[in-house]
Amino acid sequence: MILNLSDRLSRLSANTRLIIWLVLLAAMALLAAQALSRGAGVQSDILAMLPKIQEDPLTQRAIDRVEQQLANRIYLGVVSPDQATAVKGAKQLLSALQGAPEAFTQVQSADMQGAQALNRFYFPYRFHLLTAQQKDLLATGQLAKLEANTLAQLYNAFGYANSQLLSQDPLLLYPELLKQLSPQRRLKVVDGILVGQELAQDASAPTSLNKDTQGSSVAIVMAQGVGSAFNPKAQELQLARLEEAISQMQQSLEPEQEVTVIKGGALFHAAAATTQAKREVSSLGLASLIGVILLVWLAFRSIMPLTIAALTIATSLLFALSATLWIFTQVHLLTLVFGTSLIGIAIDYSFHFYCERLQSQKAVSGTATQTTGITATDAVARVFPAASLALLTTVIAYLAIGLTPFPGMQQVAVFCAAGLLGAYLTLIFAYPKLANSAMRPGDRALGLAARYLNAMQTIARPINGAKGIALALGLLLVAIFGLNRLGVNDDIRALQQSPLSVTQGEQRLRQVMSGGTDNQFILVRAETAEELLTRLEALSPTLGSLQHQGVLGNSVNLARYLPSQASQQEAYRLQGQIYHKLPEVLARLGLDGDLAPSLMANFEASANETITPDNFFASRAGELFAPLWLTPDGAQAHAQTQAQTQAQAKTQPSDKTSGSDGATYGAIVLLGGITDLHALTQAISPLSGVSLVDKVQDISDVMAKYRSLTLSLLGLALVVAGLIFSLRFGLKMALCITAVPALAALLTLAGLGLAGSPLTLFHALALILVFGIGVDYSLFFAESHRGEGVMMAVFMSACSTLMAFGLLAFSQTPAIHYFGLTLLLGIGLTFVLSPFIHTLTRIDK
């Protein structure tokens, strides 16, 4: 079929082919322009590269809600040895950020209005609210202890008792409740600013920090970024406004009032990743391009091959970007970093074309040298079969990468496959016209290639019989030893390494703020809102025990702020013990007995006034917690009213029988400072409807699954390629061609094991490309009748590929580093092994 296609193409003139190529270029350029007009662009969101975990609807909504609330949150700490200076700096920073609404919203420190809102909301429901200690005292008949606490407050000069409060809450139960509602943390409020202390004895403080900063006051400012922290434009705007605000703050302070600002949040990790990716795209891509240019110049000593090579690369990149933008609407920065390797692969067609022409030349002896040889059209016809099979197998390799659940790697597959197709079409349609100029003799380069081939043949000849068996056994032992030492690491966190300047500042803030919030959270679900609140209350003692054990630093549980109806009715019943004998209680406290009638009237009137999810989340006090509540339809952040629930119960089947997750309530419990994830999981596992959501671990599990699948795909690709090649070369040669990349992949894995590098999905993906590129080298040797030109082209191809992928191995991004390191080893081994195919073809002949 390939030969028939070659015959049909040979009937087209060079001019016709050029016109076809120009039409294809125009079509791809139009495609790219249309994609850009639709808003296509570049993104750096690392989350966009991660796999889509198939969660149940409620869990997925919970994950989305948590990411939405936490992803764009930033935390700033103004550090100074003097507390007043830190507070003053925080106020200036707060004011400056509030003046940039286009970049930040919800800029705040201590939420004084929120505390007042809590007081205003809860006070009318005080007869249905009690702390756990108050409930225990009343349940066990220890009213005297509550009266003693009240008397202590009455005679305390610094107590919170006053006549107005006593006239409505004679035992002063409500102030203790407000204390419980306030989150327990190491922060205090100074002039409206949250202030923490960075203690010198904190073992967690990085040793690299200046000792002067330890023991300092840290004033906290928080803000919500407008737009995604991973969006380059939003990221750039937020960082610019933040730097301006910090600069204004520092200028407003006296010279002797030195402060530093420590930062935490996804914005700073994303900014570091964006800066690093841009730097690597420019530096690695430029280095690869310069290396290819030098390689072409040294090999051909002519400007024309260099021009054609540059044209091939440009066309390849146009096809790659156009296809990626059209399919995905956005191209990831990591795709561009991986895509720099395309330069080293797309140029292979140019190398094989010009080396084929060099090999066909005949030098005429004498003082004048005249070169003859085949035309560009003939050279294209000669390399067409091998180039077509090479394209097919390499695209298959990229398609295997595209089968993974990682959108980022799917982009890499489309980017590189489309780019290679562009280079191939340039070879077929543009080279006959544009690359038909005469060439200088390449006797020296071809001579070096011939000597290398002869050396390889000399090495290969004695490797038979006992020597061959000994060599095979030696390689087998090395492979077994290396593979035995090869470990695996599928933890997604190992692929995200921010600079110390980012992680150290964030760690300092976490310690000051008592641990912060972790990626994991607890999801509690139930059929009804009341059942959900009951389960949240049942979870509270477990969380308290875990915090006491040091397993957990902190938690945000709605049960603290939104008690169940059963709990509120129990509190009302227990307080009835007070109000049913109110005159005696007032007498013991020394209060006016005339207060009893109005107090009793208020108590009885509030019998049915309880807090419901509906009125709680509609209030100023509850709006902060609304994102933690998931209603069945997910349309709103507050619960449906009980009337709606009862009406649905009458007209619709029970949720228990339907089993539909769409009719399930859910609540998110945020966690922070987790020290033992296994102990946390074990502690909550017996609780009904309670589960730990750990997206990081879920992604890591998916990575492990697809690492195994990718290696299986590699084996399948080898089998498919062998079957395809057997149709053209016969079974024996097909096995030899596929054996080269297979052996290279096996030895690469052994090398990784010997080097102590754990196997990841990105190593496995790189092995797919080792197969695709390695097969190319073997194919060209199998197709060639004279190996010098192919050897020269393979040498140049290997050099360009090693420059591209070898440079990726020096990337600071772990995923890219693993990818590049594997290809560095794999392509190097493939280059060494592939010339033996030429030796086999000569032996057969």
Side-chain angles (χ1 to χ4, degrees):
M1 184 178 70
I2 291 177
L3 293 178
N4 292 335
L5 184 58
S6 178
D7 291 337
R8 292 180 181 179
L9 286 173
S10 64
R11 299 169 191 168
L12 298 176
S13 66
N15 290 331
T16 303
R17 292 192 188 192
L18 182 62
I19 292 173
I20 294 174
W21 179 72
L22 291 174
V23 170
L24 291 172
L25 276 187
M28 296 306 293
L30 183 63
L31 202 66
Q34 190 171 0
L36 291 172
S37 67
R38 293 185 305 174
V42 179
Q43 66 168 225
S44 61
D45 187 352
I46 189 63
L47 298 177
M49 189 181 179
L50 300 180
K52 303 299 181 184
I53 306 297
Q54 296 299 319
E55 303 282 8
D56 65 84
L58 186 68
T59 302
Q60 188 58 55
R61 281 166 45 210
I63 291 173
D64 294 341
R65 187 73 61 82
V66 171
E67 289 179 352
Q68 180 183 1
Q69 292 298 312
L70 300 181
N72 301 325
R73 196 81 175 158
I74 68 166
Y75 302 86
L76 306 172
V78 181
V79 185
S80 175
D82 178 53
Q83 177 178 286
T85 300
V87 171
K88 181 180 179 180
K91 284 186 173 181
Q92 292 287 343
L93 189 58
L94 194 69
S95 177
L97 291 178
Q98 286 174 341
E102 73 281 6
F104 297 104
T105 61
Q106 302 178 30
V107 183
Q108 61 184 24
S109 185
D111 189 3
M112 303 304 293
Q113 293 182 350
Q116 296 172 3
L118 283 175
N119 183 29
R120 287 194 300 269
F121 176 78
Y122 283 108
F123 190 75
Y125 304 102
R126 62 191 180 280
F127 299 113
H128 290 82
L129 301 172
L130 288 172
T131 66
Q133 183 183 18
Q134 291 168 348
K135 281 186 176 181
D136 289 340
L137 291 175
L138 288 172
T140 54
Q142 301 182 62
L143 180 58
K145 283 192 175 182
L146 290 177
E147 293 174 349
N149 291 337
T150 305
L151 288 170
Q153 287 296 322
L154 288 173
Y155 294 104
N156 185 350
F158 301 99
Y160 42 73
N162 59 63
S163 58
Q164 183 179 2
L165 181 60
L166 286 168
S167 67
Q168 301 179 78
D169 183 20
L171 284 182
L172 300 177
L173 301 177
Y174 181 68
E176 291 297 324
L177 176 74
L178 281 183
K179 284 185 179 180
Q180 177 183 278
L181 293 176
S182 301
Q184 299 177 355
R185 51 187 175 189
R186 291 160 50 183
L187 301 179
K188 59 183 178 180
V189 179
V190 179
D191 201 10
I193 300 294
L194 286 175
V195 178
Q197 200 72 16
E198 191 170 33
L199 303 178
Q201 64 266 27
D202 279 354
S204 58
T207 56
S208 61
L209 299 177
N210 191 308
K211 292 182 179 180
D212 294 337
T213 67
Q214 298 191 17
S216 299
S217 294
V218 183
I220 306 298
V221 175
M222 297 167 284
Q224 186 82 9
V226 176
S228 173
F230 300 98
N231 181 288
K233 291 183 179 179
Q235 186 184 110
E236 184 178 352
L237 177 63
Q238 291 175 29
L239 290 173
R241 295 295 179 268
L242 182 59
E243 290 303 319
E244 290 174 6
I246 293 174
S247 178
Q248 291 175 16
M249 177 201 69
Q250 292 174 335
Q251 291 174 7
S252 68
L253 298 175
E254 299 297 331
E256 65 273 10
Q257 295 178 317
E258 294 185 3
V259 298
T260 57
V261 178
I262 53 179
K263 309 167 187 175
L267 172 66
F268 308 106
H269 293 276
T274 300
T275 301
Q276 180 174 295
K278 287 181 177 178
R279 182 172 60 248
E280 290 179 355
V281 166
S282 58
S283 59
L284 299 183
L286 181 62
S288 177
L289 186 60
I290 291 174
V292 169
I293 290 172
L294 288 175
L295 192 65
V296 174
W297 176 260
L298 292 174
F300 303 113
R301 301 285 183 174
S302 173
I303 193 66
M304 183 52 69
L306 196 58
T307 304
I308 296 298
L311 181 65
T312 304
I313 292 173
T315 305
S316 176
L317 292 176
L318 173 62
F319 271 70
L321 283 171
S322 298
T324 304
L325 290 175
W326 178 258
I327 295 174
F328 298 99
T329 67
Q330 288 186 322
V331 58
H332 201 284
L333 272 175
L334 288 181
T335 301
L336 296 179
V337 175
F338 278 114
T340 59
S341 62
L342 183 61
I343 296 172
I345 304 175
I347 199 67
D348 290 358
Y349 297 115
S350 183
F351 291 157
H352 285 287
F353 169 82
Y354 276 106
C355 288
E356 183 64 34
R357 290 198 67 191
L358 279 181
Q359 192 173 23
S360 68
Q361 289 180 344
K362 296 180 181 179
V364 180
S365 59
T367 56
T369 303
Q370 180 182 359
T371 61
T372 61
I374 60 175
T375 64
T377 302
D378 294 334
V380 169
R382 288 191 180 183
V383 300
F384 179 81
S388 299
L389 285 173
L391 175 71
L392 178 63
T393 53
T394 307
V395 168
I396 288 175
Y398 280 120
L399 289 178
I401 291 179
L403 293 176
T404 64
F406 287 79
M409 296 314 298
Q410 291 169 359
Q411 279 197 18
V412 170
V414 171
F415 187 94
C416 292
L420 286 179
L421 179 61
Y424 173 80
L425 293 174
T426 303
L427 168 71
I428 302 304
F429 293 109
Y431 277 39
K433 181 66 177 180
L434 301 180
N436 201 32
S437 59
M439 296 184 61
R440 295 184 181 183
D443 295 342
R444 182 178 179 183
L446 289 172
L448 290 173
R451 284 195 289 273
Y452 180 82
L453 271 178
N454 290 333
M456 295 298 290
Q457 188 175 3
T458 302
I459 293 172
R461 279 174 181 168
I463 302 178
N464 51 43
K467 291 183 179 179
I469 294 174
L471 178 61
L473 288 175
L475 289 175
L476 182 62
L477 288 175
V478 170
I480 292 174
F481 183 70
L483 292 173
N484 188 53
R485 292 173 56 88
L486 183 64
V488 296
N489 183 10
D490 299 302
D491 192 343
I492 188 66
R493 285 165 290 204
L495 303 177
Q496 180 66 38
Q497 294 181 358
S498 296
L500 286 177
S501 59
V502 175
T503 57
Q504 283 185 349
E506 186 165 273
Q507 181 62 21
R508 291 171 64 186
L509 269 176
R510 275 181 170 270
Q511 293 303 317
V512 171
M513 298 177 70
S514 300
T517 303
D518 291 331
N519 293 317
Q520 298 85 2
F521 62 89
I522 291 173
L523 177 62
V524 183
R525 65 181 71 211
E527 301 283 333
T528 65
E530 176 65 13
E531 184 183 4
L532 177 61
L533 293 173
T534 302
R535 288 180 175 179
L536 286 171
E537 289 171 345
L539 175 63
S540 295
T542 301
L543 294 178
S545 175
L546 290 171
Q547 288 181 235
H548 181 72
Q549 298 170 26
V551 173
L552 190 63
N554 58 78
S555 62
V556 180
N557 187 351
L558 277 173
R560 180 196 295 267
Y561 308 96
L562 179 58
S564 66
Q565 293 297 307
S567 176
Q568 292 183 69
Q569 294 301 333
E570 175 67 9
Y572 185 81
R573 185 188 66 80
L574 291 172
Q575 288 198 54
Q577 299 179 20
I578 302 171
Y579 289 93
H580 290 154
K581 46 186 176 181
L582 193 56
E584 295 88 345
V585 172
L586 293 176
R588 286 193 293 269
L589 294 175
L591 299 177
D592 189 351
D594 293 339
L595 294 173
S598 61
L599 281 171
M600 192 64 190
N602 289 336
F603 176 76
E604 291 176 347
S606 66
N608 296 318
E609 293 181 2
T610 60
I611 302 172
T612 65
D614 202 39
N615 59 35
F616 176 69
F617 293 120
S619 69
R620 171 68 175 83
E623 65 181 13
L624 179 65
F625 305 101
L628 303 181
W629 184 263
L630 302 169
T631 56
D633 59 0
Q636 300 178 6
H638 57 79
Q640 298 176 347
T641 62
Q642 290 182 345
Q644 289 174 322
T645 303
Q646 293 172 358
Q648 290 174 354
K650 295 177 182 178
T651 59
Q652 296 178 2
S654 170
D655 292 338
K656 293 182 180 180
T657 59
S658 66
S660 172
D661 188 73
T664 301
Y665 285 85
I668 298 166
V669 179
L670 297 178
L671 306 174
I674 301 172
T675 59
D676 190 340
L677 196 59
H678 178 71
L680 171 62
T681 305
Q682 291 294 107
I684 67 173
S685 58
L687 301 176
S688 177
V690 178
S691 61
L692 181 71
V693 178
D694 187 355
K695 185 177 179 182
V696 172
Q697 185 58 50
D698 291 342
I699 293 172
S700 299
D701 292 341
V702 170
M703 288 185 67
K705 172 184 175 181
Y706 280 90
R707 170 182 49 78
S708 300
L709 178 61
T710 301
L711 292 176
S712 300
L713 287 173
L714 175 60
L716 179 61
L718 286 168
V719 173
V720 172
L723 293 174
I724 294 174
F725 299 153
S726 65
L727 299 176
R728 177 165 178 78
F729 302 106
L731 182 60
K732 178 182 177 181
M733 184 57 65
L735 291 175
C736 293
I737 293 172
T738 53
V740 169
L743 184 57
L746 187 65
L747 293 177
T748 298
L749 289 174
L752 292 173
L754 293 173
S757 178
L759 183 64
T760 69
L761 173 62
F762 292 94
H763 290 98
L765 294 173
L767 287 176
I768 292 283
L769 289 189
V770 169
F771 155 74
I773 297 171
V775 163
D776 290 359
Y777 296 167
S778 301
L779 277 173
F780 278 101
F781 274 116
E783 285 281 358
S784 175
H785 299 289
R786 293 173 296 176
E788 295 85 353
V790 174
M791 187 68 249
M792 179 180 173
V794 167
F795 172 76
M796 296 179 68
S797 174
C799 287
S800 63
T801 305
L802 288 174
M803 278 188 287
F805 290 120
L807 290 172
L808 289 182
F810 293 99
S811 171
Q812 297 301 308
T813 304
I816 299 174
H817 166 72
Y818 296 151
F819 198 84
L821 178 62
T822 306
L823 280 161
L824 182 66
L825 294 173
I827 298 303
L829 289 166
T830 301
F831 171 75
V832 173
L833 296 172
S834 59
F836 288 108
I837 298 296
H838 177 68
T839 302
L840 289 173
T841 58
R842 296 186 66 177
I843 292 174
D844 289 342
K845 294 173 184 177

